[in-house]
């Protein structure tokens, strides 16, 4: 049974080829084109949703306040949001957005007195404004302020007169290119902040966010290639400050990682002996953000709470990373981007990026070749099993494979943050199943037509129906089995044919053959062929029969009984027809049963020495003046159910010892 399951026949080979061709097609589309990127991105979003379905948020609504921090969000990341309450409170005292820079000065001095680790302004300070020197002084005094700037994707039509001075400040911290970096720049021009603020700040980094084609942001660029160097994002600068490292402690392998070296072990979320963190990045320096949840996941306070004179003597801000940005949907230029959990403010994307790095909780992705290998294994599994099992089992297998892959992929994501291709394998599984099953239906219908055409006139309808339900029982190409063969021949046929007209002979012979054939079919035998007046039939194939020898004996005895009645009928006609006398030989043994012939005409027939013995026994009836002779091999299988008389020992070609033969007289009821 196992060997039969493992056997490769033509249809199974074709099914495997179909599966591999689909694999090649899907693999090429997946690795060379972007057609499936959207579906893969959506599958990643779904993984986030399954991990924390309660975090899925709708559109951000005006006036919604955050009352509970997500437990996965770091407590030391706090958003000081310029929200609706802040806009309203400032409007009441005559301060409108954008705020004068002396407002930011007052805010910075008060917050800075609380001794935060870092104060990041995600507010663009690109144009020279009144009070910029006072603001710069506050920034310098705080000593922990980071400001950001944009890289323009298209050509910037407004050039500041002090652009070179701005770039000179920006160039004080940049990284050398990876020698293996062959990727093109995706930005056009840097627009740094005003020089006085840039010089006063502890760090100046870009703040770009680039969403995917479906307008959902899933990544954060940590470096941008520009004018032959890598420029750091403001997020990366804050991380460097958190660990107390400089640009010399940064190693970049583009498309692989950004390595932070010489880190203080006590500050590492997952310490290691090397004291390093490898941040996975793609070929453009983007890191996948491991979002902890949706809008409102991080500690948040309104900006206007901190617009005060004096000193902030509460320790709640000490050693915290404070993020200042727009946090309103009205009254201010909105900065809202979609995430896997729905809409959230731009500063929340930065908070999630910082959370990802500081917790060393990185999203890991399989390489393209690793995902292609998974696709190959799926192709082999489906190509092997689908042609070997029933269509119902194929449906169950395919459904189980999809479920198992999806669950396994989700488990990997939730336990080790590993993302495998998900949508592409599911598409491959569905496409492979559909095409292989369609191929099977077409070929099986063809096979069933062949079975009907080949066997409907050779075997009983019940056997044909059984073959149609399980065509595997018909083993094409030859099969050695223990069978029972029957040969029947009319004695004196030559003399008979000389006495009758051709028409009369054919009519007489057809009536005889039809009666004998009906008996063979009645006892579930297979009609092999007619050779003139000779009948050849066998039992035990194509459908296995435990009592094939007994069925053949019953058929032989009834053939003689029916022939006697036919003879009585023929001789009593007004124009009598000649009576017929026949000899029948039966043998049981190993025989090769196979479909033989050409592509246009095939017969299901037997071959082998035991077949020849059956034919010889039929002819031996003349010598012993009997009608039915069976071999000792047949007799051994039916001796408890028949009446038989031992006749003789005969020598047979292919047998070392003589074979004992018996006259079959009757079958016991």
């Amino acid at each position: 049974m196992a060997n039969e399951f493992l056997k490769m026949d033509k249809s199974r080979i074709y099914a495997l080829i179909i599966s591999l061709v689909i694999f090649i097609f899907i693999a090429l589309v997946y690795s060379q084109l972007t057609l499936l990127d959207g579906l893969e991105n959506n599958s990643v979003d779904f993984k986030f949703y399954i991990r924390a379905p309660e975090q899925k948020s709708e559109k951000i609504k005006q006036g919604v306040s955050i009352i509970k921090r997500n437990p996965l969000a770091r407590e030391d990341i706090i958003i000081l949001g310029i929200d609706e309450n802040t806009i309203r409170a400032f409007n009441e005292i005559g301060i409108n957005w954008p705020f004068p820079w002396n407002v930011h000065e007052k805010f910075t001095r008060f917050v800075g007195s609380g001794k935060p680790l870092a104060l990041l302004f995600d507010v663009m300070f690109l144009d020279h404004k009144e009070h910029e020197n006072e603001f710069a002084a506050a920034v310098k005094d705080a000593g922990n302020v980071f400001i950001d700037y944009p890289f323009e994707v298209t050509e910037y039509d407004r050039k500041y007169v002090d652009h070179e001075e701005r770039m000179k400040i920006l160039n004080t911290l940049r990284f050398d290119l990876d020698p293996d970096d062959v990727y093109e720049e995706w930005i056009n021009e840097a627009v740094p902040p005003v020089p006085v603020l840039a010089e006063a700040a502890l760090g100046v980094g870009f703040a770009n966010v680039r969403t995917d084609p479906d307008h959902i942001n899933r990544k954060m660029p940590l470096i941008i290639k520009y004018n032959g160097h890598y420029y750091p994002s403001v997020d990366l600068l804050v991380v460097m400050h958190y660990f107390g490292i400089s640009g010399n402690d940064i190693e970049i392998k583009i498309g692989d990682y950004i390595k932070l070296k010489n880190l203080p072990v006590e500050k590492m979320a997952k310490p290691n002996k090397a004291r390093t963190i490898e941040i996975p990045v793609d070929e453009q320096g983007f890191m996948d953000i491991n979002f902890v949840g949706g809008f409102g996941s991080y500690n948040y306070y309104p900006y206007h709470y901190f617009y005060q004179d004096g000193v902030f003597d509460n320790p709640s801000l000490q050693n915290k990373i404070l993020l200042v940005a727009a946090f309103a949907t009205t009254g201010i230029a909105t900065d809202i981007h979609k995430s896997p959990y729905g809409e959230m403010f731009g500063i929340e994307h930065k908070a999630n990026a910082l959370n990802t790095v500081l917790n060393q909780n990185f999203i890991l992705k399989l390489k393209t070749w690793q995902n292609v290998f998974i696709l190959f294994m799926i192709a082999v599994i489906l190509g092997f099993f689908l042609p070997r099992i029933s269509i119902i089992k194929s449906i169950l297998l395919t459904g189980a494979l999809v479920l198992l892959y999806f669950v396994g992929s989700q488990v990997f994501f939730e336990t080790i943050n590993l993302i495998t291709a998900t949508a592409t394998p599911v598409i491959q599984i569905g496409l492979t199943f559909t095409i292989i099953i369609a191929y099977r239906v077409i070929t099986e219908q063809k096979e069933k037509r062949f079975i009907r055409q080949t066997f409907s006139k050779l075997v009983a309808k019940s056997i044909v129906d059984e073959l149609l339900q399980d065509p595997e029982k018909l083993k094409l190409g030859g099969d050695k089995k223990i069978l029972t063969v029957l040969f029947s021949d009319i004695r004196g046929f030559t003399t008979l044919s000389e006495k009758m007209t051709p028409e009369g002979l054919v009519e007489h012979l057809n009536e005889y053959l039809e009666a004998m054939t009906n008996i063979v079919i009645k006892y579930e035998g297979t009609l092999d062929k007619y050779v003139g007046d000779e009948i050849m039939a066998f039992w035990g194939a194509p459908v296995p029969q435990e009592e094939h020898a007994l069925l053949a004996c019953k058929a032989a005895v009834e053939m003689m009984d029916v022939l006697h009645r036919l003879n009585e009928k023929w001789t009593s006609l007004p124009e009598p027809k000649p009576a017929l006398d026949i000899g029948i030989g039966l043998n049981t043994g190993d025989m090769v049963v196979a479909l033989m012939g050409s592509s246009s005409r095939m017969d299901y027939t037997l071959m082998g020495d035991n077949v020849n013995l059956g034919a010889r026994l039929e002819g031996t009836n003349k010598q012993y003046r009997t009608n039915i002779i069976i071999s000792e091999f047949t007799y051994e299988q039916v001796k408890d159910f028949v009446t038989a008389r031992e006749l003789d020992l005969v020598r047979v070609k292919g047998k070392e010892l003589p074979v004992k033969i018996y006259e079959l007289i009757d079958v016991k009821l």
Side-chain angles (χ1 to χ4, degrees):
M1 190 72 178
N3 290 337
E4 184 66 24
F5 186 79
L6 295 174
K7 179 188 171 185
M8 295 294 289
D9 57 27
K10 190 168 89 170
S11 63
R12 291 175 176 180
I13 292 173
Y14 282 166
L16 183 58
I17 290 173
I18 289 171
S19 185
L20 292 176
V21 168
I22 293 172
F23 153 71
I24 293 172
F25 171 73
I26 293 291
L28 287 174
V29 172
Y30 171 75
S31 60
Q32 303 299 321
L33 303 176
T34 60
L35 292 177
L36 299 174
D37 289 358
L39 292 175
E40 287 299 339
N41 286 336
N42 290 337
S43 71
V44 171
D45 297 343
F46 192 63
K47 291 179 194 296
F48 278 105
Y49 172 74
I50 293 297
R51 186 174 73 178
E54 72 281 357
Q55 292 296 326
K56 187 70 175 179
S57 59
E58 302 296 332
K59 283 191 174 183
I60 299 174
K61 298 178 181 178
Q62 180 180 353
V64 173
S65 60
I66 297 87
I67 59 174
K68 187 177 181 181
R69 179 184 62 87
N70 187 313
L72 298 177
R74 291 176 65 99
E75 292 185 4
D76 58 352
I77 298 177
I78 300 174
I79 295 173
L80 306 182
I82 303 172
D83 59 0
E84 281 91 352
N85 290 331
T86 297
I87 300 297
R88 191 178 303 112
F90 279 9
N91 284 340
E92 290 175 357
I93 59 176
I95 300 175
N96 298 318
W97 179 261
F99 301 153
W101 285 12
N102 61 341
V103 172
H104 294 308
E105 175 211 354
K106 186 175 180 178
F107 170 88
T108 302
R109 291 193 182 279
F110 185 72
V111 171
S113 66
K115 302 188 183 314
L117 177 75
L119 176 60
L120 187 160
F121 276 94
D122 188 22
V123 179
M124 299 299 169
F125 302 114
L126 306 181
D127 298 316
H128 291 280
K129 295 284 183 72
E130 187 180 2
H131 307 298
E132 64 180 40
N133 290 322
E134 295 94 319
F135 183 27
V139 168
K140 189 173 183 62
D141 290 343
N144 56 7
V145 176
F146 294 82
I147 60 176
D148 56 23
Y149 66 93
F151 271 106
E152 294 297 331
V153 178
T154 57
E155 186 174 355
Y156 194 56
D157 57 1
R158 181 183 175 186
K159 203 94 168 184
Y160 293 100
V161 294
D162 55 357
H163 181 75
E164 290 186 6
E165 182 184 358
R166 297 181 184 214
M167 285 303 303
K168 185 177 179 180
I169 298 171
L170 207 60
N171 291 340
T172 57
L173 181 56
R174 58 185 183 177
F175 310 116
D176 293 334
L177 284 185
D178 177 358
D180 297 326
D181 188 346
V182 295
Y183 305 103
E184 294 183 0
E185 298 177 3
W186 61 275
I187 46 83
N188 185 272
E189 190 172 359
V191 187
V194 295
V196 65
L197 278 179
E199 286 185 322
L202 182 59
V204 181
F206 68 83
N208 292 63
V209 170
R210 187 179 69 177
T211 62
D212 289 320
D214 58 1
H215 306 296
I216 296 177
N217 183 54
R218 302 177 178 89
K219 300 178 179 182
M220 186 66 70
L222 297 182
I223 54 173
I224 282 181
K225 181 180 179 181
Y226 177 63
N227 285 347
H229 289 85
Y230 297 126
Y231 287 79
S233 71
V234 70
D235 313 276
L236 181 57
L237 293 177
V238 171
V239 168
M240 291 169 61
H241 175 60
Y242 176 86
F243 288 113
I245 60 175
S246 67
N248 294 327
D249 299 311
I250 300 295
E251 177 186 326
I252 298 173
K253 183 69 175 175
I254 201 67
D256 197 356
Y257 60 78
I258 296 174
K259 182 182 289 186
L260 313 181
K261 300 184 292 187
N262 303 318
L263 306 179
V265 175
E266 65 276 8
K267 283 205 164 188
M268 296 178 67
K270 300 175 183 177
N272 56 66
K273 291 182 179 180
R275 294 166 52 213
T276 61
I277 293 176
E278 289 189 2
I279 305 172
V281 293
D282 63 17
E283 59 276 2
Q284 292 183 330
F286 282 73
M287 174 195 74
D288 286 281
I289 304 173
N290 195 348
F291 289 91
V292 299
F295 164 66
S297 292
Y298 292 84
N299 281 330
Y300 146 80
Y301 301 102
Y303 178 99
H304 73 93
Y305 284 5
F306 303 91
Y307 179 64
Q308 299 182 36
D309 293 312
V311 176
F312 187 82
D313 54 6
N314 189 308
S316 59
L317 298 184
Q318 190 170 346
N319 294 321
K320 300 296 192 295
I321 298 173
L322 309 180
L323 310 178
V324 181
F327 217 65
T329 57
T330 60
I332 191 173
T334 58
D335 181 25
I336 296 175
H337 302 287
K338 291 182 180 178
S339 76
Y341 287 114
E343 289 185 345
M344 63 175 63
F345 290 105
I347 197 62
E348 292 181 290
H349 288 260
K350 291 190 177 300
N352 276 286
L354 289 169
N355 196 86
T356 299
V357 178
L358 298 181
N359 282 344
Q360 297 170 239
N361 203 21
F362 302 111
I363 296 291
L364 306 175
K365 287 185 174 180
L366 292 184
K367 302 289 186 183
T368 298
W369 72 265
Q370 292 171 319
N371 281 316
V372 169
F373 181 74
I374 291 175
L375 298 179
F376 173 74
M377 293 305 300
I378 290 173
V380 172
I381 291 171
L382 294 178
F384 179 82
F385 283 101
L386 290 184
R388 286 172 166 79
I389 57 180
S390 68
I391 292 179
I392 296 297
K393 289 181 180 178
S394 295
I395 294 172
L396 295 176
L397 171 67
T398 303
L401 186 59
V402 170
L403 182 62
L404 181 65
Y405 186 86
F406 180 80
V407 171
S409 178
Q410 187 67 30
V411 169
F412 279 125
F413 177 67
E414 295 194 21
T415 54
I416 59 175
N417 299 317
L418 179 66
I419 291 179
T420 62
T422 303
T424 302
V426 170
I427 291 172
Q428 179 196 12
I429 292 171
L431 188 60
T432 303
F433 168 79
T434 301
I435 294 180
I436 287 183
I437 295 303
Y439 166 75
R440 280 188 57 182
V441 169
I442 293 171
T443 54
E444 286 175 10
Q445 288 299 322
K446 183 179 179 181
E447 185 179 54
K448 288 180 179 180
R449 282 198 305 271
F450 170 77
I451 290 172
R452 284 195 186 95
Q453 293 170 358
T454 304
F455 292 95
S456 59
K457 296 181 180 180
L458 303 181
V459 297
K461 183 179 181 299
S462 60
I463 293 181
V464 174
D465 293 340
E466 194 169 344
L467 285 174
L468 292 175
Q469 290 179 4
D470 188 6
E472 289 296 319
K473 291 181 178 178
L474 179 61
K475 185 177 179 182
L476 304 183
D479 194 10
K480 194 172 186 179
K481 295 182 177 182
I482 296 178
L483 307 173
T484 298
V485 66
L486 177 151
F487 283 90
S488 169
D489 192 26
I490 298 176
R491 296 174 183 169
F493 180 72
T494 302
T495 303
L496 178 67
S497 62
E498 292 174 351
K499 293 180 180 180
M500 301 182 69
T501 63
E503 294 81 1
L505 177 63
V506 170
E507 182 184 354
H508 194 40
L509 191 57
N510 281 343
E511 187 175 359
Y512 157 75
L513 291 175
E514 182 175 1
M516 299 300 106
T517 301
N518 288 340
I519 295 170
V520 171
I521 301 300
K522 174 183 175 182
Y523 288 99
E524 299 182 348
T526 300
L527 181 64
D528 188 315
K529 63 175 68 72
Y530 302 119
V531 182
D533 63 305
E534 182 185 69
I535 298 173
M536 177 180 174
F538 56 88
W539 281 257
V543 176
Q545 296 163 316
E546 290 186 7
E547 298 182 336
H548 53 85
L550 182 58
L551 290 170
C553 290
K554 288 181 177 180
V557 170
E558 187 164 326
M559 288 169 74
M560 292 307 304
D561 291 341
V562 170
L563 180 61
H564 291 322
R565 291 196 294 272
L566 285 174
N567 283 333
E568 291 176 359
K569 170 189 169 184
W570 290 330
T571 55
S572 62
L573 292 173
E575 295 184 9
K577 294 181 180 180
L580 301 179
D581 188 19
I582 63 173
I584 299 174
L586 297 174
N587 183 40
T588 301
D590 286 335
M591 305 174 198
V592 176
V593 59
L595 279 165
M596 300 287 291
S598 66
S599 58
S600 59
R601 174 63 185 269
M602 303 188 79
D603 286 325
Y604 192 61
T605 189
L606 300 180
M607 295 175 288
D609 292 338
N610 282 312
V611 180
N612 298 333
L613 176 56
R616 181 176 174 186
L617 294 182
E618 180 274 316
T620 305
N621 279 292
K622 295 178 183 178
Q623 180 180 344
Y624 294 96
R625 297 183 180 180
T626 56
N627 289 106
I628 307 174
I629 292 180
I630 63 176
S631 70
E632 63 178 276
F633 311 112
T634 303
Y635 178 75
E636 284 301 318
Q637 294 205 22
V638 300
K639 60 185 178 182
D640 295 332
F641 306 99
V642 302
T643 302
R645 177 172 66 94
E646 184 177 335
L647 292 176
D648 203 348
L649 291 171
V650 295
R651 288 202 169 275
V652 180
K653 182 179 179 182
K655 303 287 185 183
E656 293 183 2
L657 299 175
V659 175
K660 190 179 295 184
I661 60 174
Y662 297 81
E663 178 187 11
L664 178 62
I665 298 172
D666 201 356
V667 177
K668 299 176 183 178
L669 297 177

